[in-house]
């Protein structure tokens, strides 16, 4: 197999690695490997032609920049609670839609939830409650006007 075939193989491998980075984003390993393969393959294929190597370097730098940006955004997104996580409701104020004696329903954030009055005292329909704890899909609440 000729040397040119190996260098063309490096460029093709770079494209495959870039594609894999978009499909299986992780820690940027595929993107980094693709950038290295592209620059080395372009350098060897072109015989060191500055225009070709420069173009490959620009493409690699852009791909690496996008990969690094995606990694930082993924890490930042991981710090925030999921909008579907019930734990986000702790400390929120809701309204009893049925009497809680001690179990009933509350409306909070536009959603109907099963609730359990934590103090054991009944909560009347329409009274405001504060979410104290979440156990599965049941909220432990207490009256908002209680101390």
């Amino acid at each position: 197999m000729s040397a040119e075939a190996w260098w063309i193989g490096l460029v093709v491998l770079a494209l495959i690695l870039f594609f894999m980075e978009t499909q299986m984003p992780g820690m940027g390993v595929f993107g980094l490997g693709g950038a290295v393969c592209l620059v080395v393959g372009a350098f060897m294929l072109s015989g060191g032609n500055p225009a070709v190597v420069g173009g490959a370097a620009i493409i690699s730098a852009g791909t690496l920049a996008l990969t690094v940006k995606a990694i930082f955004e993924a890490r930042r997104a991981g710090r925030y609670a999921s909008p579907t996580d019930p734990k986000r409701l702790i400390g929120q104020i809701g309204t009893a839609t049925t009497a809680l004696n001690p179990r009933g329903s509350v409306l909070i954030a536009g959603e109907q939830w099963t609730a359990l009055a934590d103090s054991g005292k009944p909560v009347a329909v329409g009274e405001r409650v504060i979410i104290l704890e979440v156990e599965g899909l049941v909220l432990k609440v207490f009256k908002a006007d209680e101390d």
Side-chain angles (χ1 to χ4, degrees), residues 31-127:
L32 180 62
V36 169
C37 287
L38 183 64
V39 170
V40 170
F43 181 78
M44 296 302 184
L45 246 166
S46 69
N49 183 339
V52 174
V53 174
I58 289 171
I59 291 170
S60 294
T63 303
L64 285 175
L66 291 174
T67 301
V68 168
K69 180 180 182 235
I71 290 169
F72 281 118
E73 286 178 359
R75 286 189 179 164
R76 187 174 353 127
R79 285 184 274 185
Y80 299 108
S82 167
T84 59
D85 183 10
K87 302 268 187 231
R88 79 188 190 299
L89 299 174
I90 294 174
Q92 300 275 332
I93 297 177
T95 306
T97 55
T98 65
L100 278 69
N101 194 11
R103 194 176 195 89
S105 296
V106 296
L107 182 67
I108 181 160
E111 298 174 335
Q112 195 77 24
W113 286 84
T114 300
L116 183 64
D118 191 51
S119 65
K121 297 178 186 173
V123 176
V125 175
E127 287 189 308

Side-chain angles (χ1 to χ4, degrees), residues 121-135:
K121 297 178 186 173
V123 176
V125 175
E127 287 189 308
R128 292 171 15 129
V129 294
I130 297 176
I131 286 58
L132 178 65
E133 189 179 338
V134 179
E135 285 185 2

